[in-house]
Amino acid sequence: MKWFKVCMICFVLVVAITGCKKFLDENSQSLQYADNWQRLQEVLVGDGYMPHLLPPFPTNSYKEKPDPSYMSWLNVMDDDIAENVTGPAFFDGRQDYFGMFTWQANPFVSYNYGFNNDDSWSKFYVNINAVNVIAQKAADLKDNPEELKRIRGEALFLRAEYYFYMVNTYALAYNRKTASTDPGVPLKITEYIEDKFFTRSTVDSVYQQMVVDLKEAEGLLDGVQQTSIYHADVNAVNILQSRVYLYMQDWQNAAVAADKVIARRAQLFNLAQYKPETSFFNSASPEAIFTQGGNSMIFTSPLQQQLKVLMPSPDLMGLYQPRDLRLKAFFEQGSNGIYRYTKVYRSNTVTPVEILSDSYFMRNAEAYLNKAEAAAMLDQPAGANAALNTLRAARFLPADFTPVNLSGVPLVNFIRDERRRELCFEGHRWFDLKRYAVNEKYPFTKKIVHTWSDGVVGGAVIRATLTLEPGDPDYLLPIPPPAILFNQGALAPNPARQDRTF
């Protein structure tokens, strides 16, 4: 029972048992045989990092897709997405995301209210358990100090990244007034067995651990040559540092971390050079810093014009100026005028040579946006405008580019809109909406409306109109019931979500 607990911490029993069994398999990726840096490296790749989709990729059917994604639903709950239903069809591209898109009380129900499991919770904790052990083994082994230092740095970065997504999904946004008491997620950072049931650490405790892990990871990875974008380097560490500090409203440290990335990796993808029907997300891009995991959004956007799909919302598309080059690099417009999302480009005739993650792809454009936001909050409009203008100059032809020169509320609003334009469907918007609501200087909330329609001959009939109000408990995903059951009530649930059955 002790080893069972450390493997899963507190997640779904069946998945946890599978995770434990994986660690005990007698092969080169088993932790019990990781007695040198090469074998520990294999464990890091196999059990520390998320799996990612490799070629050959499915081309024919939505149903053929493998799904290595964690939180594959992260981009379907906010105001950047809407439905597009134009008639009856057997294929329904919305159905896998029904519970999330319509904010159901149990968001893991299918479109016909069948029960599904939240597997992302367990996936994350299996990885967290692995990196806990990897980080400690990297400190204990002596055969290659430089490689072991790198391995420990990558493991600590991964632990911080996994906890970042966990705490921002299952807990309230970081509020400096209440974070020390707000329930977060179970915090497990030891490599050894803890024979206990787990409770929810506070939001502040989880964030403070991320700060500690990233600080050490930065020192370990500074100056280390990145072997591929599938391995975290110091730039990935600094981007995540900047993001964490931004969420904590520690504007000074957020700006410092962003500046470090910009100093090393200043070059952006000049969209004047973008070639139609290619992927904006690619490993050769000067913006590419780090990626892991799968991509769900390429399967959400249809290969051809279909009758029941999810699409970029009119609210999002209305933020772009007509000559903004992102309209063609990030989207494709159909003959009916409807846009589909294509940062990884896939069509009936084009199969991507690589599929980079949607929610876990880090690029230096975020560093410019983080710097702009931090500077604006510090009442440094010159620095904020400079960061914005550097980014936007790469998103317009020179003849179409007009620099911004704003301050105060207009500047903050522009930066928030620019984050939507630039980072749409990359796992940011849902978390941004949560943190904007508790921003001490410039709070912002909005009402989100999603419709769910039935296709009929010649069009669609709205079956339900659903509204997510500011502060709605549905901004928190439920702690998985099996985790609560296994921990015998020590793991407190989130507030009950609304009953939106229709």
Side-chain angles (χ1 to χ4, degrees), residues 8 10 66 159 174 177 281 308 392 461 469 474:
M8 61 176 262
C10 50
R159 184 164 72 188
Y174 190 98
K177 297 176 181 177
F281 282 3
K308 294 181 179 179
R392 287 173 60 79
V461 175
E469 297 283 354
D474 292 8

Coordinates of all heavy atoms in Angstrom, one line a residue, residues 8 10 66 159 174 177 281 308 392 461 469 474:
M8 N 0.8 7.2 -6.9 CA -0.3 8.0 -7.4 C -0.6 9.2 -6.6 O -1.4 10.1 -7.1 CB -1.6 7.1 -7.4 CG -1.9 6.6 -6.0 SD -3.4 5.7 -6.0 CE -4.6 6.9 -5.5
C10 N -2.7 10.5 -5.0 CA -4.1 10.6 -4.6 C -5.0 10.5 -5.9 O -6.1 11.0 -5.9 CB -4.4 11.9 -3.9 SG -3.8 13.3 -4.7
P66 N -4.8 9.6 -32.1 CA -4.3 9.2 -30.7 C -4.3 10.5 -29.9 O -4.3 11.6 -30.5 CB -2.8 8.8 -31.0 CG -2.4 9.5 -32.2 CD -3.7 9.7 -33.1
R159 N 8.7 19.6 -12.8 CA 7.8 19.6 -11.6 C 7.1 20.9 -11.5 O 5.9 21.0 -11.2 CB 8.6 19.3 -10.4 CG 7.8 19.2 -9.1 CD 8.5 18.5 -8.0 NE 9.6 19.4 -7.5 CZ 10.5 19.0 -6.6 NH1 10.5 17.7 -6.2 NH2 11.4 19.8 -6.1
Y174 N -4.2 32.9 -8.1 CA -3.4 33.4 -7.0 C -3.8 34.8 -6.6 O -3.7 35.7 -7.4 CB -1.9 33.4 -7.4 CG -1.0 33.7 -6.3 CD1 -0.3 32.7 -5.6 CD2 -0.7 35.0 -5.8 CE1 0.5 32.9 -4.5 CE2 0.1 35.3 -4.7 CZ 0.7 34.2 -4.1 OH 1.6 34.5 -3.0
K177 N -4.2 38.3 -1.3 CA -4.9 38.4 0.0 C -5.3 37.1 0.6 O -5.5 37.0 1.8 CB -6.1 39.3 -0.2 CG -5.7 40.7 -0.6 CD -7.0 41.6 -0.8 CE -6.7 43.0 -1.3 NZ -7.9 43.8 -1.6
F281 N 3.7 26.9 -36.0 CA 4.4 26.1 -35.0 C 5.4 25.2 -35.7 O 4.9 24.2 -36.3 CB 3.5 25.3 -34.1 CG 2.7 26.0 -33.1 CD1 2.8 27.4 -32.9 CD2 1.9 25.3 -32.2 CE1 2.1 28.0 -31.9 CE2 1.2 26.0 -31.2 CZ 1.3 27.3 -31.1
K308 N -20.8 20.4 -38.0 CA -20.9 20.6 -36.6 C -19.5 20.7 -36.0 O -18.9 19.6 -35.8 CB -21.7 19.5 -35.9 CG -23.2 19.4 -36.3 CD -23.8 18.2 -35.5 CE -25.3 18.1 -35.8 NZ -25.9 16.9 -35.1
R392 N 4.7 43.4 -32.4 CA 3.8 43.7 -33.5 C 4.5 44.0 -34.8 O 3.9 43.8 -35.8 CB 2.9 44.8 -33.0 CG 1.9 44.3 -31.9 CD 1.1 45.5 -31.4 NE 0.3 46.2 -32.4 CZ -0.9 45.8 -32.9 NH1 -1.4 44.7 -32.5 NH2 -1.5 46.5 -33.8
V461 N -30.7 24.9 -34.9 CA -31.6 25.4 -33.9 C -30.9 25.4 -32.6 O -30.3 24.3 -32.2 CB -32.9 24.5 -33.8 CG1 -33.7 24.9 -32.6 CG2 -33.7 24.5 -35.1
E469 N -20.8 33.4 -15.6 CA -20.7 34.7 -15.0 C -19.3 34.8 -14.3 O -18.7 33.8 -13.9 CB -21.8 34.9 -14.0 CG -23.2 34.9 -14.5 CD -23.5 36.2 -15.2 OE1 -22.7 37.1 -15.2 OE2 -24.6 36.2 -15.8
D474 N -17.8 27.3 -11.7 CA -17.4 26.5 -12.8 C -16.0 26.9 -13.4 O -15.5 26.2 -14.3 CB -18.4 26.5 -13.9 CG -19.7 25.9 -13.5 OD1 -19.9 25.5 -12.4 OD2 -20.6 25.7 -14.4

